C-alpha cells in the first residue's frame, strides 16, 4: 500500500522504461534489410520511367542530348551498363548486410528520451532571469505580475522554470507515493518536436554534408590523378551522354569507395536508425538517378531544389567540362568554394556535339544504303532476263531498307532542339 509523502525534487523525475525489439516495418523483412532493398527498387523504378520516356520520345524539348548522340557518342552498350550496375548493387547489399547484420533496434525508451530533453529545457530556463538582468529587466518582478494576471506558464518561464502548481504523483522505489514536480505541456511538446523532428532533420542534413564532402574530394582526386582515372573512373565516363540507369555505372572498386563507403560513413557517423537510413539511402539514390536522367524538366522539384541537377552534372560528362562540376549528389558548395564550377555559356558546345553525332548517323545510313545499292546492282545483270527474279531482288532491297529505318529515322525524333533555358550553365 502506497503512503503519501513529500519529497524534494529539483526537476521532474524521469520515467522508467522497458526495452523490446522493434517489429519490422514490412514483415517478415528486417528493417536493416529493407533499408538495403528500397534504394535498389527506387533506382530501377525511376530509371524505367525515364527509359520509357526515352523509348517513346515523350518530351524531346527537354532532352539535353538527342538520341543520335546516345547512339554515336557513348562507348558502352546498355547491356554492359546494366550488368555493372547490378554488380555494384550486389556489392552494396553485401557490404550493408555485413555492417548491420547484428544491428537489432529496441523500442520503449522514447518517453524517457523525450523527458530527458524536457529536463534540458527546464535547466536552460534557469538562465533566463540572469540573461534579462543584463538588459536591466527584473524577471522575477515581471513574473509575479504575469502570474497575478493569469499567465502562469509565461510567469514560470521568466522565473527560471519555476512552476509551483505543476505537480504529479510519483511512486518511489520504496513504495512511497510522493508529490513531485511535473513537466508543463509546452516543455513536453517542444521536447517531442526536438526528439521526433529536429534531431532526425539534423542527422539527415549532416549525412548529406558528409556524402557531398566524401564524393567531391574522392571524385576530384579520381580526375586529378591519372592512375586513378585510367584504372577506375574512366569507366563511368564512357557515358558521354548520361541516362538514368547508368547513374551507378562504375568500376566496382570506385562504386564501393565512392557510393557505398560514403553513404555508409554518413549513416554510421550520424547514428541514424534503420528507418532513418531507409529515407537517407533512398533519397540519395533517387537524386543520383535524377542527376543522370538526361532531361531538364521544369516541373521536377529535385532539379530546382539545388543547382546540382541533370544539366549541371551533364557538363561534367562532356569532354570540355570534365575538369569541372565535381560536386554530387546534393549541393554544389564545394565546387563554388574551390572554384571548380563551370563558368560560361554551353549552348554552342551542345549544338556542335549534336550536329556531329547526327552527321555520323547520316553517314552510317548513307553507307548502308550504298552497300544495299551495290548488292542490288550486282544481282541486276545476272537476273535481268528473268522478270520474276528481278522483282525478288527489288523486294530484298525493300526489306533491307525497312530493317534499316528503325535504327536511323526512328532515332531522329520529332524535335530535338534543346531550348536555351535548358542549356544555361
Amino acid at each position: 500500500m502506497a503512503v503519501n509523502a513529500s519529497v524534494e525534487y529539483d526537476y521532474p523525475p524521469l520515467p522508467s522504461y522497458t526495452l523490446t525489439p522493434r517489429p519490422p516495418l514490412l514483415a517478415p523483412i528486417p528493417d536493416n534489410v529493407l533499408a538495403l532493398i528500397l534504394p535498389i527498387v527506387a533506382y530501377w523504378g525511376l530509371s524505367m520511367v525515364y527509359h520509357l520516356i526515352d523509348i517513346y520520345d515523350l518530351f524531346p524539348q527537354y532532352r539535353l542530348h538527342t538520341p543520335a548522340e546516345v547512339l554515336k557518342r557513348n562507348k558502352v552498350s546498355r547491356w554492359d551498363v546494366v550488368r555493372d550496375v547490378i554488380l555494384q548493387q550486389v556489392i552494396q547489399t553485401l557490404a550493408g548486410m555485413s555492417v548491420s547484420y547484428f544491428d537489432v533496434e529496441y523500442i520503449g525508451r522514447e518517453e524517457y528520451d523525450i523527458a530527458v530533453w524536457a529536463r534540458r529545457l527546464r535547466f536552460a530556463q534557469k538562465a533566463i532571469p540572469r540573461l534579462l538582468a543584463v538588459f536591466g529587466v527584473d524577471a522575477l518582478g515581471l513574473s509575479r505580475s504575469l502570474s497575478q494576471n493569469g499567465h502562469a506558464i509565461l510567469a514560470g518561464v521568466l522565473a527560471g522554470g519555476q512552476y509551483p502548481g505543476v505537480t504529479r504523483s510519483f511512486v518511489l522505489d520504496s513504495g512511497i507515493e510522493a508529490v513531485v514536480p511535473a513537466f508543463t505541456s509546452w516543455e513536453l511538446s517542444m521536447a517531442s518536436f526536438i526528439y521526433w523532428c529536429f534531431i532526425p532533420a539534423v542527422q539527415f542534413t549532416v549525412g548529406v554534408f558528409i556524402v557531398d564532402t566524401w564524393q567531391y574530394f574522392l571524385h576530384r582526386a579520381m580526375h586529378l590523378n591519372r592512375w586513378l582515372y585510367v584504372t577506375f573512373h574512366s569507366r563511368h565516363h564512357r557515358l558521354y551522354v548520361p541516362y538514368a540507369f547508368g547513374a551507378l555505372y562504375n568500376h566496382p572498386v570506385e562504386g564501393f569507395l565512392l557510393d557505398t563507403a560514403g553513404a555508409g560513413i554518413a549513416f554510421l557517423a550520424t547514428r541514424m536508425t534503420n528507418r532513418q537510413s531507409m529515407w537517407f539511402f533512398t533519397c540519395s539514390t533517387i537524386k543520383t538517378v535524377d542527376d543522370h536522367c538526361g532531361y531538364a524538366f521544369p516541373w521536377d522539384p529535385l532539379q530546382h531544389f539545388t543547382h546540382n541537377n541533370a544539366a549541371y552534372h551533364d557538363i561534367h560528362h562532356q569532354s570540355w567540362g570534365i575538369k569541372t562540376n565535381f560536386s554530387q549528389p546534393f549541393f554544389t558548395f564545394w565546387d563554388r568554394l574551390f572554384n571548380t564550377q563551370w563558368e560560361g555559356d554551353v549552348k554552342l558546345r551542345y549544338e556542335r556535339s549534336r550536329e556531329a553525332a547526327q552527321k555520323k548517323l547520316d553517314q552510317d545510313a548513307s553507307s548502308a544504303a550504298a552497300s544495299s545499292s551495290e548488292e542490288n546492282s550486282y544481282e541486276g545483270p545476272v537476273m535481268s532476263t528473268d522478270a520474276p527474279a528481278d522483282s525478288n531482288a527489288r523486294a530484298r532491297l525493300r526489306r533491307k531498307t525497312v530493317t534499316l529505318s528503325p535504327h536511323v529515322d526512328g532515332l531522329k525524333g520529332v524535335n530535338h532542339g534543346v531550348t536555351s533555358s535548358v542549356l544555361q550553365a
Side-chain angles (χ1 to χ4, degrees), residues 299-321:
W299 59 78
D300 184 352
L302 292 177
Q303 301 206 11
H304 299 282
F305 180 66
T306 77
H307 292 294
N308 201 345
N309 49 35
Y312 184 90
H313 188 69
D314 189 86
I315 291 173
H316 176 74
H317 275 262
Q318 309 312 304
S319 58
W320 41 267

Side-chain angles (χ1 to χ4, degrees), residues 302-377:
L302 292 177
Q303 301 206 11
H304 299 282
F305 180 66
T306 77
H307 292 294
N308 201 345
N309 49 35
Y312 184 90
H313 188 69
D314 189 86
I315 291 173
H316 176 74
H317 275 262
Q318 309 312 304
S319 58
W320 41 267
I322 199 170
K323 296 294 187 180
T324 61
N325 293 15
F326 298 116
S327 293
Q328 57 182 27
F330 291 103
F331 296 94
T332 63
F333 56 85
W334 287 119
D335 272 326
R336 295 195 302 271
L337 183 62
F338 287 98
N339 198 30
T340 55
Q341 189 174 15
W342 173 267
E343 299 291 345
D345 184 61
V346 300
K347 183 179 179 181
L348 292 178
R349 295 176 183 271
Y350 273 97
E351 287 179 353
R352 285 196 293 267
S353 297
R354 186 164 57 251
E355 291 169 358
Q358 188 63 48
K359 184 177 180 180
K360 289 182 181 179
L361 194 66
D362 293 340
Q363 289 174 349
D364 290 350
S366 298
S367 300
S371 177
S372 299
S373 299
E374 289 175 2
E375 182 179 345
N376 183 58
S377 64

